[in-house]
Amino acid sequence: MCGIVGYVGEREALPIILKALKRIEYRGYDSCGVLVQNQGEMMGHKEVGAIDCLISSLSKSGYEGKIAIGHSRWATHGAPTVTNAHPHLDCNGEIAVVHNGIIENYQSIKEGVLCDCIFQSETDTEVIPHLINICLKSKLSPTELHSGELNAMQVKEAVKEALSYLRGSYAILVAVKGFDGLVAARKESPLIVGVGDREFFVASDVPAVLNQTNRIIFLEEEDLVVVEKDSIYIENGGSEVKREESLIEWTIEDAEKGGYEHFMLKEIHEEPKAIRDTLMGYLTEGRINLGLDFIVDAESILLVACGTSYYAALCGKYIIENLAKIPVRIEVASEFNYSDFVLDGSKVVAMAITQSGETADTLTALKKAKGYGCKTVAITNVLGSSATRLADETIYSRAGPEIGVAATKSFITQLTIFYLLGLFLSKMPASVFAEHINELKRMPQIAQRVLDEVNIQKHARYLSKYEHTFFVGRGINLPISLEGALKLKEISYIHAEGYAAGELKHGPFALLTEDTPVIAILTRDDIYEKTLGNVKEIKARGSPVIAIAEEDDEEVEKYVDDVIRVPRTSALFSPIPNTVALHLLAYWTAKERGCEIDKPRNLAKSVTVE
Ligand code: F6R
C-alpha cells in the first residue's frame, strides 16, 4: 500500500525522508520518489523498484533543503513506471503532491475543470497539483503572484478549494515553491504528524517516523494541516481544531503491525477498507465500469484458481449465476492443467483468480485456457504480476499488500469483485440493480460491524481445545465454510474439514463424536430449513454445534450449543459478514494455541512451483 512521508524543520530533509521510506518498506511498493524544496528550487527524483535504488541514485545529488516529501507507490491507476511514481507536479513544476488513496472522479475532473492541462502520468493523483495550481492562482493578486513568496493561509486555502473537487479517499502532502512549509489532508486514508523540536514529520503511518520522535498526532477524518518548522495549524470543517499528542511506546515492529499483534489480525481489521477501496475503483455514481466490455458477449465463464482463491471462485459461481444467469464452470488450476478438458473457447471468458498473480498452477491454467481460444482475464491484487502480463485483461482487487501468509483481506476483495462482475453482467431491471448496488455499498459497514460487535474470542477458546472440526454450509455459504476450514487448519493446525451440510450423512457422520465440534453457517436463505435439518442430524450424533447466524434469528439457538451472531444482509451478500467472522475465529483459535500465525509451518505466501 502506498506510503507517504514529509519533513519540515531545521535539518537536512532528504536523509530523513529516505530513512522514513525505508522504514515503511514492509507495506509493499513498486516504485518510489522524493522531492526536496529549497527556497526557489524543487528537486525531485523517482525510481521503479527499491528504495535502495533511490538512495543510491541520490547519494551524490547534492539536493539540499529543509523541506521534503517522499512516497512509496503501490500501483492502482497506471503501471509501476517512473512517470506514474509520485510526487506529481502541476504544469509549472511548482506544486508537488504525494497521495495515498483513490480519486474516484479524476477522469471527469480531467475532462472538466482541467481540460486545458497536459498530464504526464496515468494516475488519478496528478489532478491534485493541477487543481491546487488553478485554485492558488485564482486567490492571488498579480503582485502576490509575481513576488515568489506564499504564506500559509494562501496555500492552505488553495489546497482546501482543490480538495472540494475530489471524490474518493486521500491522504495527501503538498509542497509548494515559495512556501516554507507543507500542507497535508486526509479523508478515509490514515495520516499522522510526528512532533519534534522545531520540526514536524508527516506520514501515512507511525513506523515511518518512530526513530525520530514518539510524539504523534493522529489526524482525524477530513483534517487539513499546515506545518511550518515552528508551528502546526489544524483545521476541520472550516474551523481551527486542537488534536492531542500521543506518546507512542510501541517498538518499531509493533508499529509496523499498526499496534496489532500479528499482520493477519491487522489485515482482517482492514477488510472493511479493502472492500471499500475495491468498490471505489469500479463503482461510480451507481454504475459499474470494469473496463472489460468484451465479457458481456461471453456465453459462459471458466474460473481457474488455487486454495483460498479457488473458494472465492466457488462463491463467484453462485454470485454470477444468481445475478447474471451466465453459466460458470470452475476448475482447481492444478487439475485443469492436466485434464482432458473439452472446450470451444470462442464464447468462453476464462478468469484466473490469484491474489499474488504468481501462482504457478494458476498461470499454467491461464495459458491452457488461452490455448483453447478463450479470452482471458486475471483477477489479482498485484499490479504488474505475471498473471496480468499473461491475461488479455486484468481486474485488480484493491486489498493492498497482504503480509500474513493466510489470505484474508485479499479473499474478501475477490468476493467483492465477483459481486461487481455479477452485477455488471446482469440484465436485471434498473430498480433491482440499484437495490443490489445499495446493498453492496453497505458491505464495508457490515464487515466493520462484525469486527466491532462480535465476541469471537470466547468461541475460539472453546474450539482451541479440539483436534478435529467440521465446517458446514450450503449454497453460497458452502465455499465460505470451506474457506473457514482452510483458514483454521493452516494457522491453528487443527484438522478442519469443510463440507456441504447435506453431505455429512454420506460418510463423515462416522467421525462425529462429542470431540468433533461442527461450525455451521446458518444464514436464513431459501434452504435454511434444510440446513437446520442437517444441523439437527449432526446434533443427534453427539457433536457440539456452533452456528454462525444472523443477529435476529431467534429460532437457531434452540438447536445448537452456541451462536456467533453476525449482522443481517440479504442471503446473496451473507458471505461477507460470515467470512469476517470465520477469519477472526481462525485467528483467535490459533492465538489461543500459541501458533506462529503470520508464517504457518510449511507454507509460503506465493506458490511459484507446480
Ligand atoms: C490460504 C492461501 C492459499 C492461496 C493459494 C493461491 O490462506 O493463501 O491457499 O490462496 O496459494 O494463491 P494466489 O491467490 O496468490 O494464487
Side-chain angles (χ1 to χ4, degrees):
M1 202 130 38
C2 305
I4 64 182
V5 292
Y7 174 80
V8 51
E10 296 197 309
R11 294 187 279 157
E12 276 310 318
L14 182 60
I16 294 172
I17 291 297
L18 291 172
K19 270 196 201 115
L21 287 176
K22 276 296 283 177
R23 300 201 94 97
I24 51 172
E25 271 193 311
Y26 72 93
R27 291 166 65 105
Y29 63 99
D30 46 49
S31 50
C32 48
V34 293
L35 181 131
V36 182
Q37 189 201 330
N38 192 352
Q39 300 190 337
E41 269 192 288
M42 307 279 274
M43 298 159 287
H45 186 76
K46 310 198 266 192
E47 292 275 349
V48 172
I51 309 282
D52 282 336
C53 300
L54 194 65
I55 294 176
S56 90
S57 308
L58 288 168
S59 62
K60 296 198 177 69
S61 68
Y63 287 1
E64 287 184 353
K66 311 281 164 76
I67 299 174
I69 56 178
H71 189 265
S72 54
R73 174 171 188 253
W74 170 266
T76 54
H77 293 78
T81 61
V82 168
T83 316
N84 288 334
H86 301 209
H88 288 286
L89 296 161
D90 71 318
C91 43
N92 305 318
E94 295 180 345
I95 298 169
V97 173
V98 288
H99 163 227
N100 282 358
I102 297 168
I103 305 304
E104 272 180 68
N105 58 336
Y106 77 105
Q107 203 57 46
S108 59
I109 295 175
K110 275 183 167 182
E111 287 159 14
V113 61
L114 298 181
C115 62
D116 292 332
C117 292
I118 295 169
F119 290 86
Q120 309 294 328
S121 75
E122 301 155 86
T123 64
D124 51 341
T125 302
E126 201 186 342
V127 298
I128 306 174
H130 288 283
L131 281 172
I132 298 173
N133 175 37
I134 291 183
C135 299
L136 192 57
K137 277 196 193 136
S138 73
K139 291 189 179 341
L140 299 181
S141 67
T143 337
E144 286 171 326
L145 200 56
H146 294 110
S147 74
E149 283 190 15
L150 294 164
N151 64 41
M153 186 56 76
Q154 290 162 331
V155 179
K156 180 201 76 176
E157 286 302 315
V159 172
K160 189 156 85 182
E161 191 183 336
L163 293 179
S164 70
Y165 286 91
L166 306 182
R167 267 208 328 274
S169 63
Y170 52 77
I172 57 162
L173 252 175
V174 186
V176 181
K177 188 169 161 182
F179 170 54
D180 287 337
L182 293 171
V183 179
R186 67 155 286 187
K187 186 176 169 231
E188 290 172 23
S189 216
L191 200 60
I192 58 109
V193 178
V195 182
D197 183 15
R198 303 199 72 202
E199 60 185 2
F200 291 95
F201 310 83
V202 187
S204 42
D205 53 359
V206 175
V209 304
L210 210 50
N211 63 330
Q212 303 284 355
T213 179
N214 66 347
R215 294 166 58 197
I216 304 291
I217 298 172
F218 290 91
L219 294 174
E220 293 189 10
E221 207 38 22
E222 307 212 18
D223 276 355
L224 177 66
V225 187
V226 186
V227 280
E228 294 171 274
K229 76 176 179 210
D230 286 318
S231 68
I232 177 165
Y233 169 87
I234 309 178
E235 186 178 298
N236 194 303
S239 319
E240 184 173 1
V241 288
K242 296 281 172 223
R243 302 273 177 241
E244 293 293 312
E245 267 178 46
S246 308
L247 274 188
I248 297 295
E249 277 155 21
W250 305 336
T251 62
I252 291 283
E253 215 209 357
D254 289 342
E256 286 180 354
K257 294 178 188 144
Y260 292 100
E261 193 176 340
H262 295 97
F263 280 111
M264 183 178 174
L265 187 60
K266 173 173 180 267
E267 286 157 5
I268 296 171
H269 278 261
E270 286 168 351
E271 288 184 348
K273 177 171 175 351
I275 302 171
R276 188 175 298 115
D277 286 350
T278 301
L279 290 180
M280 257 188 205
Y282 299 107
L283 189 60
T284 317
E285 285 157 9
R287 276 210 301 253
I288 296 167
N289 182 4
L290 293 169
L292 299 178
D293 293 336
F294 69 81
I295 58 171
V296 289
D297 298 326
E299 281 179 6
S300 71
I301 291 175
L302 167 69
L303 302 177
V304 288
C306 302
T308 280
S309 296
Y310 174 73
Y311 297 148
L314 272 176
C315 203
K317 173 180 165 69
Y318 285 92
I319 296 169
I320 295 173
E321 290 184 347
N322 177 298
L323 292 170
K325 317 289 178 222
I326 295 177
V328 178
R329 176 168 181 167
I330 331 162
E331 297 290 326
V332 170
S334 57
E335 286 300 308
F336 172 71
N337 294 339
Y338 302 99
S339 64
D340 301 319
F341 199 77
V342 182
L343 180 72
D344 165 11
S346 60
K347 288 280 166 27
V348 181
V349 173
M351 300 189 178
I353 300 91
T354 164
Q355 65 79 23
S356 63
E358 301 297 347
T359 300
D361 287 320
T362 309
L363 296 179
T364 307
L366 199 55
K367 284 183 209 148
K368 181 158 173 164
K370 278 194 139 178
Y372 284 117
C374 301
K375 281 250 188 216
T376 52
V377 177
I379 300 180
T380 184
N381 196 38
V382 182
L383 210 125
S385 56
S386 304
T388 69
R389 292 196 295 274
L390 263 177
D392 298 315
E393 298 291 343
T394 300
I395 306 178
Y396 290 107
S397 56
R398 295 204 165 133
E402 194 173 60
I403 292 162
V405 163
T408 52
K409 60 177 180 165
S410 64
F411 175 79
I412 214 142
T413 56
Q414 289 169 341
L415 297 185
T416 308
I417 295 283
F418 282 118
Y419 287 113
L420 287 165
L421 251 173
L423 286 166
F424 179 72
L425 292 171
S426 74
K427 297 195 170 62
M428 56 183 65
S431 59
V432 184
F433 180 84
E435 271 171 37
H436 282 303
I437 292 285
N438 284 341
E439 180 87 344
L440 183 55
K441 280 166 56 185
R442 261 178 7 101
M443 288 306 118
Q445 263 169 279
I446 292 284
Q448 189 62 50
R449 282 192 53 207
V450 180
L451 295 170
D452 295 345
E453 296 169 16
V454 183
N455 176 7
I456 294 281
Q457 290 171 51
K458 158 186 135 184
H459 305 286
R461 265 193 300 278
Y462 169 80
L463 204 59
S464 66
K465 302 193 179 68
Y466 293 92
E467 289 309 320
H468 304 279
T469 57
F470 280 91
F471 283 66
V472 298
R474 291 185 73 143
I476 197 167
N477 279 303
L478 167 58
I480 304 307
S481 61
L482 301 177
E483 164 67 1
L486 175 65
K487 223 86 307 176
L488 187 76
K489 76 182 96 173
E490 73 179 312
I491 61 162
S492 76
Y493 313 144
I494 295 175
H495 170 218
E497 289 197 42
Y499 247 93
E503 272 289 295
L504 290 195
K505 56 182 166 296
H506 299 293
F509 266 10
L511 292 173
L512 295 185
T513 69
E514 60 192 19
D515 290 326
T516 324
V518 176
I519 315 301
I521 304 183
L522 271 163
T523 301
R524 279 173 299 181
D525 52 17
D526 295 348
I527 43 173
Y528 175 71
E529 294 299 333
K530 293 223 178 300
T531 320
L532 206 52
N534 300 142
V535 164
K536 289 177 196 165
E537 295 159 4
I538 293 167
K539 278 288 313 160
R541 268 83 199 161
S543 286
V545 176
I546 301 177
I548 299 195
E550 290 154 314
E551 53 200 342
D552 55 349
D553 180 351
E554 283 164 15
E555 183 69 6
V556 70
E557 58 201 23
K558 297 183 199 151
Y559 306 103
V560 300
D561 298 276
D562 215 338
V563 187
I564 297 172
R565 296 213 172 261
V566 295
R568 183 170 193 176
T569 63
S570 66
L572 182 67
F573 289 95
S574 61
I576 297 284
N578 294 340
T579 294
V580 183
L582 287 172
H583 284 169
L584 284 171
L585 184 65
Y587 172 82
W588 287 110
T589 308
K591 167 98 170 78
E592 277 297 319
R593 288 166 68 98
C595 299
E596 206 192 330
I597 293 177
D598 283 333
K599 290 196 181 105
R601 70 184 173 216
N602 306 335
L603 297 178
K605 185 72 187 157
S606 148
V607 186
T608 52
V609 287
E610 281 194 32

